[in-house]
Amino acid sequence: MDAKLLSRIDLNLLVALQALLEERSVTKAAERLFITQPAMSKTLQRLRELFDDPLFIRSGRGLVPTPRAVGLEKQLPLLLSSVVDLVMQSQFDPLTYEGEICIMTAEFIAVQVMPALTQRFIENAPFMSLRVRGESDGKARSLEDGTLDFAIEISRPYSDEYHVTPLGYFTPAVWMRAVHPLADKEKLTLKEMLEYPFIQYSLLRSGSSTAAETRFDRQLRKHGLKRKKALVTAQLMTAMDALWQTDCLMMATMHDLKIEGETYGIVRKPYPEELEFDSTVPVVLVQHARTIKSPAHQWVKQQIVGIVRDLQEKAKQASRPR
């Protein structure tokens, strides 16, 4: 690309040339572009200098294009149309859009949101594909460079580079199998809970171990307490199978994994009152500022927000007394 040559070209000159080619008249072209006739004459002179060609010759019928102008007449409409398409955002149609959307989220959120999102893609955006990743340390960089489009996670402080959409709240809960010795208790105490081993399900970072602290571990430490972790895993089905087959406890939330909870006969209990904790954990949808104006990203965000709202409404209805 010859940047020096391009810097000499005024796009308005090409627009004026198109008007002259269509009108074959300096006066009519000037009226069409809402400028004076002398201004259009000066523009024609600049065009002649730019192309090093007379472009138009005066005759009794008006302006007659030179062979160079005739050649330009064939190329110019497509060129100007391409410039308009480049500058103006084209109408987004999910039915014809082709591309991939990558979302990073914890598995306990993914199993609730992604099946419904996949179905919406199939029905409304058949050429758009969905890729889901687990949490990782490179999330911020991935959002910036475009290898990641969204992250769904527990809310935290964010810089101005990121746009955050609240999705709702999760209520912390203690999970156990239906035949667990504590399953019939309305309220749990810390002493009772710590008599049993725990399963810690989380999407682990490289090098994580049973010693890795969670929010629950930090709360226990404030009381001078510690729990026994029998299993730490990033595999959801492994965690659920172990919970179902043992008297382990698992820290999760009150409404997530509804289908899995029913399949495995899981009982959910509120946190013990001795612990200080937020009764609701805010979850947000995060995207980089570079995608805010993207129609495709706006559409996907609308789908995710709609799905989460549907899930929350179903959870409310399920919790109402019958």
Side-chain angles (χ1 to χ4, degrees), residues 2 42 44 64 86 141 146 213 215 254 263-264 304 308:
D2 191 334
K42 290 182 180 178
L44 176 54
V64 177
L86 181 67
R141 184 175 64 254
E213 275 198 332
R215 292 185 179 193
M254 194 60 78
T263 301
Y264 287 95
I304 294 173
V308 171

Side-chain angles (χ1 to χ4, degrees), residues 113-151:
V113 176
M114 298 308 149
L117 185 59
T118 301
Q119 186 60 36
R120 293 197 180 193
F121 274 30
I122 292 170
E123 294 175 354
N124 303 299
F127 302 106
M128 185 183 291
S129 58
L130 176 63
R131 183 160 56 94
V132 180
R133 287 171 48 184
E135 294 176 300
S136 69
D137 291 327
K139 174 182 56 187
R141 184 175 64 254
S142 297
L143 284 167
E144 289 173 6
D145 65 21
T147 55
L148 180 66
D149 298 289
F150 295 99

